[in-house]
Amino acid sequence: MENNLKNTLREAGFNFKKRLGQNFITDKNLLASIVRGAGVTKSDTVVEIGCGAGALTRVLSENAAKVLGFEVDVGLKPVLSRALEGADNTEIIYGDFLKADLKSLEQKLGGYSVVANIPYYVTTPLITKILEESKLCRSMTVMVQEEVALRLCAKPATPEYGAITAAVALRASAEIIKKVPREMFTPRPNVDSAVVKMVIEDGRIKVKDPVLYKKTVHAAFQSRRKTLENNLVGYFGLSRGEAQKILAAAEILPRARGETLSPAQFARLADVIFEFSSRN
Ligand code: SAM
């Protein structure tokens, strides 16, 4: 970590809080490559979740039109204020992003992208919140644990493919843009990381009821050892005959396992279940 930031943190009496996922990055090249990879331009509004000591926030403020940062740890206020001196296009909200009202935030912001080195203990809830609540988010470029990055971008029928993969795929295409070794963070975490870019393209997979899509995916991954038919029976309380009819109507093989279905197949299955439940 660069000495001046270390000194600033020491002078502010700051102690890293593991429970808040505080692993900071200061390497200027890494920060610049995240911002470049996110495709941030001078006309963009960027939301950063978890500003930490403000190293990424500063680079974002230099490359974007406007930056709105969230930081839950009020103890970082003096450090952040100093790191962001003169960054007039940047506003920090000291609070929990998970509790933020995205609807009113978006009324204020207009279209935006998320760029963040997110706290790992809330990776799934953060990504899910944006996927489910945002209307104006265009992309998310986030540093996550490498293992999670592989899951976000996984292909069907691989061990990494799971409910979160299918949830992301409904609204976004996801790719790993950079692998980041653990040595790049202070303090050093126990895992390597990767930057994933998710570009939101609404309507890339059409589904009648997104909530039912989520439930269908959840049902399919409830027990990986069971067939999809068995999982549907257990989750939706269907008879075996009903589950078989639904699978046939969705053109899915009777013995298929959930993890082999593409997101488009999950959408077709959810639509058939939707029709079935509106008839019954
Ligand atoms: N952006 C900085 C960097 O790249 O060096 C810090 C990243 S650090 C991995 C994650 C930051 O998120 C920490 O500063 C932590 O306090 C903050 N944080 C943790 N939970 C949060 C939440 N629910 N909402 C907003 N910030 C949170």
Short mmCIF file of all heavy atoms in Angstrom, two decimals, residues 33-39 141-142 153 175-179 194-197:
data_model
loop_
_atom_site.label_atom_id
_atom_site.label_comp_id
_atom_site.label_asym_id
_atom_site.label_seq_id
_atom_site.Cartn_x
_atom_site.Cartn_y
_atom_site.Cartn_z
N SER A 33 -6.97 0.34 -14.66
CA SER A 33 -7.45 -0.70 -15.58
C SER A 33 -8.88 -1.11 -15.25
O SER A 33 -9.64 -1.48 -16.15
CB SER A 33 -6.50 -1.90 -15.62
OG SER A 33 -6.67 -2.68 -14.48
N ILE A 34 -9.28 -1.00 -13.98
CA ILE A 34 -10.69 -1.30 -13.64
C ILE A 34 -11.60 -0.25 -14.29
O ILE A 34 -12.60 -0.56 -14.91
CB ILE A 34 -10.89 -1.30 -12.10
CG1 ILE A 34 -10.10 -2.45 -11.46
CG2 ILE A 34 -12.37 -1.39 -11.74
CD1 ILE A 34 -10.06 -2.41 -9.93
N VAL A 35 -11.19 1.01 -14.16
CA VAL A 35 -12.02 2.10 -14.68
C VAL A 35 -12.07 2.03 -16.23
O VAL A 35 -13.13 2.22 -16.84
CB VAL A 35 -11.47 3.47 -14.19
CG1 VAL A 35 -12.23 4.63 -14.81
CG2 VAL A 35 -11.56 3.54 -12.66
N ARG A 36 -10.92 1.70 -16.83
CA ARG A 36 -10.88 1.53 -18.29
C ARG A 36 -11.76 0.35 -18.72
O ARG A 36 -12.56 0.45 -19.64
CB ARG A 36 -9.44 1.27 -18.72
CG ARG A 36 -8.99 2.09 -19.89
CD ARG A 36 -7.58 1.84 -20.38
NE ARG A 36 -6.85 0.75 -19.82
CZ ARG A 36 -5.86 0.86 -18.92
NH1 ARG A 36 -5.53 2.06 -18.46
NH2 ARG A 36 -5.21 -0.19 -18.48
N GLY A 37 -11.62 -0.76 -18.01
CA GLY A 37 -12.40 -1.96 -18.33
C GLY A 37 -13.90 -1.71 -18.21
O GLY A 37 -14.69 -2.27 -18.95
N ALA A 38 -14.26 -0.85 -17.26
CA ALA A 38 -15.68 -0.53 -17.07
C ALA A 38 -16.20 0.35 -18.21
O ALA A 38 -17.40 0.49 -18.41
CB ALA A 38 -15.88 0.19 -15.74
N GLY A 39 -15.27 0.94 -18.96
CA GLY A 39 -15.65 1.80 -20.09
C GLY A 39 -16.18 3.15 -19.65
O GLY A 39 -17.00 3.77 -20.35
N THR A 141 -19.40 -3.23 -13.05
CA THR A 141 -18.04 -3.76 -13.14
C THR A 141 -17.55 -3.88 -11.72
O THR A 141 -17.35 -2.87 -11.03
CB THR A 141 -17.14 -2.81 -13.96
OG1 THR A 141 -17.75 -2.64 -15.25
CG2 THR A 141 -15.74 -3.38 -14.13
N VAL A 142 -17.43 -5.12 -11.26
CA VAL A 142 -17.17 -5.32 -9.83
C VAL A 142 -16.05 -6.31 -9.58
O VAL A 142 -15.93 -7.32 -10.27
CB VAL A 142 -18.46 -5.79 -9.10
CG1 VAL A 142 -19.46 -4.66 -8.97
CG2 VAL A 142 -19.10 -6.99 -9.75
N CYS A 153 -20.04 -16.07 -14.42
CA CYS A 153 -19.84 -16.19 -15.87
C CYS A 153 -19.94 -17.63 -16.38
O CYS A 153 -19.59 -17.90 -17.53
CB CYS A 153 -18.45 -15.64 -16.24
SG CYS A 153 -18.15 -13.98 -15.65
N GLU A 175 -18.72 -11.14 -18.12
CA GLU A 175 -17.40 -11.68 -18.48
C GLU A 175 -16.34 -11.22 -17.48
O GLU A 175 -16.45 -10.13 -16.89
CB GLU A 175 -16.99 -11.28 -19.91
CG GLU A 175 -16.83 -9.81 -20.09
CD GLU A 175 -16.08 -9.43 -21.37
OE1 GLU A 175 -15.27 -10.22 -21.88
OE2 GLU A 175 -16.31 -8.30 -21.83
N ILE A 176 -15.35 -12.08 -17.30
CA ILE A 176 -14.23 -11.72 -16.41
C ILE A 176 -13.30 -10.84 -17.24
O ILE A 176 -12.86 -11.25 -18.32
CB ILE A 176 -13.50 -12.98 -15.92
CG1 ILE A 176 -14.41 -13.77 -14.99
CG2 ILE A 176 -12.19 -12.60 -15.21
CD1 ILE A 176 -13.83 -15.05 -14.42
N ILE A 177 -13.02 -9.64 -16.76
CA ILE A 177 -12.12 -8.78 -17.54
C ILE A 177 -10.71 -8.72 -16.96
O ILE A 177 -9.79 -8.27 -17.62
CB ILE A 177 -12.69 -7.35 -17.76
CG1 ILE A 177 -12.96 -6.64 -16.44
CG2 ILE A 177 -13.93 -7.38 -18.62
CD1 ILE A 177 -13.28 -5.15 -16.63
N LYS A 178 -10.56 -9.19 -15.72
CA LYS A 178 -9.22 -9.16 -15.14
C LYS A 178 -9.14 -10.06 -13.92
O LYS A 178 -10.04 -10.05 -13.08
CB LYS A 178 -8.90 -7.71 -14.72
CG LYS A 178 -7.46 -7.47 -14.43
CD LYS A 178 -7.21 -6.00 -14.17
CE LYS A 178 -5.75 -5.73 -13.97
NZ LYS A 178 -4.89 -6.05 -15.10
N LYS A 179 -8.08 -10.84 -13.85
CA LYS A 179 -7.85 -11.61 -12.62
C LYS A 179 -6.90 -10.80 -11.74
O LYS A 179 -5.97 -10.17 -12.25
CB LYS A 179 -7.25 -12.97 -12.96
CG LYS A 179 -8.24 -13.81 -13.74
CD LYS A 179 -8.02 -15.28 -13.56
CE LYS A 179 -9.19 -16.02 -14.21
NZ LYS A 179 -8.98 -17.43 -14.33
N ALA A 194 -11.24 -11.33 -8.98
CA ALA A 194 -11.34 -11.06 -10.41
C ALA A 194 -12.36 -9.94 -10.61
O ALA A 194 -13.28 -9.78 -9.80
CB ALA A 194 -11.78 -12.31 -11.16
N VAL A 195 -12.16 -9.19 -11.68
CA VAL A 195 -13.11 -8.12 -12.00
C VAL A 195 -14.07 -8.67 -13.06
O VAL A 195 -13.64 -9.18 -14.10
CB VAL A 195 -12.39 -6.88 -12.55
CG1 VAL A 195 -13.40 -5.78 -12.87
CG2 VAL A 195 -11.35 -6.37 -11.56
N VAL A 196 -15.35 -8.59 -12.74
CA VAL A 196 -16.38 -9.07 -13.67
C VAL A 196 -17.17 -7.89 -14.20
O VAL A 196 -17.56 -7.01 -13.42
CB VAL A 196 -17.36 -10.04 -12.95
CG1 VAL A 196 -18.50 -10.46 -13.86
CG2 VAL A 196 -16.62 -11.26 -12.45
N LYS A 197 -17.38 -7.88 -15.50
CA LYS A 197 -18.22 -6.82 -16.09
C LYS A 197 -19.54 -7.45 -16.52
O LYS A 197 -19.56 -8.40 -17.30
CB LYS A 197 -17.51 -6.19 -17.28
CG LYS A 197 -18.28 -5.02 -17.87
CD LYS A 197 -17.46 -4.31 -18.92
CE LYS A 197 -18.19 -3.10 -19.44
NZ LYS A 197 -17.39 -2.38 -20.45
#
